[in-house]
Amino acid sequence: MADALVSALAKTVVGNLNSVVVQEIGLAWGLTDELNNFESIFTSIQLVLQDAELKQRKSEAIQNWLRKLKNAAYDAENVLDEISTEGLRRRANFERGMQHQLKSFISSRNPLLFRSKMVHKVKNIREKLDSIAKERFQFHLSEGVVENRFGETLESRQTTSLVEESEIYGRKEGKEMIIEEIVGSGPEQDDLSVYAIWGMGGLGKTTLAQLIYNDARIEKHFELRIWVCVSDDFSIQRLFSAIIQSTGGGGSDISELDTLQCLLREKLRGRKFLLVLDDVWNEDHNMWDGLKQVLRCGSKGSMLMVTTRIEKVAIMMATIAPYNIGNLSENDSWSLFKQRAFTTEEVNESLVAIGKAIVKKCGGVPLAIKALGSLMRFKSHESEWLAIKESEI
Ligand SMILES: Nc1ncnc2c1ncn2[C@@H]1O[C@H](COP(=O)(O)OP(=O)(O)OP(=O)(O)O)[C@@H](O)[C@H]1O
Ligand SMILES: [Mg+2]
């Protein structure tokens, strides 16, 4: 698989970049900056590989991107190999004495020509990598945690209905509006309405859905509440099983779709339920229509709530105007950053202005604010803060 290969290649490249031999040659050939660029490109790409790996099954564009990335990573690895071999050769020559160096200078391989060829090659590959890396922004990939980017892909996107409300800033207006709409709907309700929350990754769709799900008014309004994290790991069987399990268990050993469907309807029949499907990616119209049909067995006022990054999915599924979640306000962004970056007792005043500039760069995306806030907590020098402020994160 391209993604696993890219991850492995990225790791190898970063490892090779840090080898003493490569660094020596880099210094001798004036390539240190180029090689450092390699490292920062690969490090930033590694952050989104986990998400790209998840999304590629549904997106041909991401598959193509990963393929291009893989080829560029191969080129990078090859050129580092060549540099490393050259470094080892030079060391050996040095140990054997100058006489040999002179011999190799007049031999078929001219070291100056070789150097110029390699410098050119490194520059070309770096430019190509840079432009491929930049393409990642168009896919709105989330930056996963670097430490667990290999292996735990699906688990790390799993969500539950739990939320620590004291750590959430803003969103009151949106939350109230949606709750009012749900609770306040009249007696002429449908037996299944669908509400969709959509917006870019990391904006807080899941968080908003959690706030709503756990609100006392919602708890009181519905007889049954069910939270299912859909993500990319979607099959109608898994979905049915998950719903059945959260309504009192059973069904985990059933694989027959028809049996599962009957059991599901039995569990939901006549009950007023709220079903949250978090993180929906699937754009298959027929499948969703089928699912809605199956779910039309609860009592009037039952509701399906979905969160998705894809506007098309929101429009396709919703029966009520979808809610496009906006950015966090400047004040709320700052509160979130402050909570992450500073210990409660002491706020280092000299860092506040730099911190505010860093927050501005996060564009009201809580995921980014939280990540940068957590990063800054371990940096106490003004210079470190300035470096982050000036960086292209
Ligand atoms: N209003 C908020 N205040 C504080 N933290 C927040 C807020 N909204 C979101 N977060 C935090 O930001 C991170 C991303 O939020 P969340 O998972 O809800 O985003 P999302 O829109 O569902 O993203 P995705 O599209 O990847 O599913 C989480 O760690 C969450 O706790
Ligand atoms: Mg989410």
Side-chain angles (χ1 to χ4, degrees):
M1 266 168 57
D3 47 286
L5 250 174
V6 178
S7 294
L9 276 169
K11 258 177 142 181
T12 319
V13 171
V14 173
N16 283 346
L17 281 166
N18 288 317
S19 90
V20 178
V21 183
V22 169
Q23 287 184 354
E24 271 173 12
I25 293 277
L27 203 65
W29 290 356
L31 273 177
T32 307
D33 282 349
E34 288 289 3
L35 295 178
N36 283 344
N37 284 337
F38 265 136
E39 182 160 6
S40 59
I41 294 171
F42 275 108
T43 309
S44 55
I45 278 178
Q46 276 178 324
L47 291 173
V48 299
L49 275 182
Q50 183 181 330
D51 204 23
E53 182 186 327
L54 275 172
K55 309 286 160 53
Q56 64 159 334
R57 270 174 276 166
K58 295 275 154 55
S59 160
E60 213 170 294
I62 297 182
Q63 279 169 24
N64 288 336
W65 179 70
L66 280 169
R67 208 169 297 128
K68 277 197 291 188
L69 192 59
K70 183 192 69 183
N71 290 333
Y74 267 135
D75 290 344
E77 199 199 22
N78 284 338
V79 80
L80 289 181
D81 259 357
E82 281 183 77
I83 290 180
S84 175
T85 313
E86 174 64 12
L88 292 170
R89 203 181 58 82
R90 280 177 158 219
R91 278 187 173 185
N93 285 353
F94 187 75
E95 277 155 22
R96 272 186 240 132
M98 296 299 285
Q99 199 189 359
H100 191 90
Q101 281 203 8
L102 187 65
K103 230 164 72 191
S104 80
F105 188 77
I106 46 177
S107 72
S108 58
R109 194 160 97 173
N110 178 337
L112 287 180
L113 219 107
F114 179 68
R115 168 186 166 170
S116 129
K117 204 178 100 190
M118 292 302 286
V119 168
H120 204 67
K121 207 166 172 182
V122 167
K123 195 165 169 275
N124 277 346
I125 295 173
R126 202 268 307 146
E127 278 171 2
K128 195 163 137 201
L129 252 175
D130 207 19
S131 80
I132 296 173
K134 281 191 178 126
E135 286 177 26
R136 72 184 183 276
F137 295 117
Q138 78 196 55
F139 305 124
H140 303 295
L141 299 168
S142 299
E143 297 198 343
V145 181
V146 186
E147 282 75 28
N148 67 9
R149 66 189 178 270
F150 309 113
E152 306 173 357
T153 51
L154 284 172
E155 289 76 5
S156 61
R157 285 197 64 80
Q158 290 292 312
T159 63
T160 70
S161 61
L162 299 178
V163 63
E164 190 48 68
E165 284 201 37
S166 60
E167 290 179 7
I168 304 301
Y169 298 89
R171 301 293 182 221
K172 289 195 179 60
E173 248 170 66
K175 177 185 158 189
E176 285 308 309
M177 194 199 83
I178 297 172
I179 292 178
E180 283 298 313
E181 210 160 336
I182 296 173
V183 178
S185 41
E188 68 291 347
Q189 299 168 73
D190 196 356
D191 40 2
L192 185 76
S193 21
V194 186
Y195 203 98
I197 301 172
W198 71 278
M200 205 179 85
L203 267 183
K205 302 176 292 294
T206 300
T207 305
L208 179 59
Q210 286 164 330
L211 291 174
I212 296 167
Y213 187 93
N214 289 300
D215 189 272
R217 288 163 290 176
I218 293 293
E219 235 177 289
K220 202 168 141 234
H221 187 75
F222 293 100
E223 194 184 330
L224 183 66
R225 288 171 308 138
I226 308 158
W227 182 281
V228 177
C229 174
V230 180
S231 261
D232 204 33
D233 181 24
F234 183 90
S235 81
I236 204 90
Q237 268 100 337
R238 189 188 84 85
L239 193 55
F240 283 177
S241 291
I243 301 172
I244 293 166
Q245 254 149 61
S246 36
T247 54
S252 59
D253 48 344
I254 305 171
S255 58
E256 182 60 43
L257 188 60
D258 190 55
T259 319
L260 272 174
Q261 187 169 312
C262 291
L263 190 56
L264 171 70
R265 289 176 72 96
E266 208 176 282
K267 297 269 182 196
L268 297 181
R269 184 160 298 123
R271 301 171 85 177
K272 185 160 155 183
F273 65 85
L274 166 68
L275 168 62
V276 176
L277 297 182
D278 187 37
D279 203 17
V280 171
W281 287 87
N282 197 305
E283 298 179 19
D284 182 347
H285 205 292
N286 291 331
M287 193 207 63
W288 287 120
D289 278 351
L291 177 76
K292 282 193 235 173
Q293 215 45 50
V294 175
L295 293 176
R296 273 181 208 288
C297 57
S299 80
K300 281 200 187 316
S302 288
M303 171 163 276
L304 174 60
M305 179 178 282
V306 299
T307 82
T308 178
R309 286 190 195 175
I310 309 167
E311 183 180 12
K312 189 172 154 196
V313 170
I315 293 170
M316 183 176 79
M317 294 189 71
T319 57
I320 306 167
Y323 181 73
N324 182 204
I325 190 167
N327 299 338
L328 220 53
S329 74
E330 226 167 277
N331 274 344
D332 292 326
S333 298
W334 175 241
S335 303
L336 173 57
F337 182 84
K338 226 166 44 178
Q339 178 229 30
R340 290 270 142 182
F342 302 111
T343 44
T344 34
E345 312 86 63
E346 31 157 334
V347 172
N348 185 341
E349 287 304 329
S350 70
L351 300 179
V352 166
I354 312 173
K356 287 196 168 162
I358 294 177
V359 170
K360 213 167 197 149
K361 292 177 89 165
C362 296
V365 179
L367 183 73
I369 301 165
K370 221 173 143 173
L372 277 179
S374 307
L375 180 73
M376 301 325 290
R377 200 181 187 93
F378 301 101
K379 301 190 188 294
S380 49
H381 296 290
E382 210 174 303
S383 61
E384 293 173 298
W385 280 59
L386 282 169
I388 296 290
K389 184 189 140 208
E390 303 305 334
S391 76
E392 283 184 27
I393 285 184

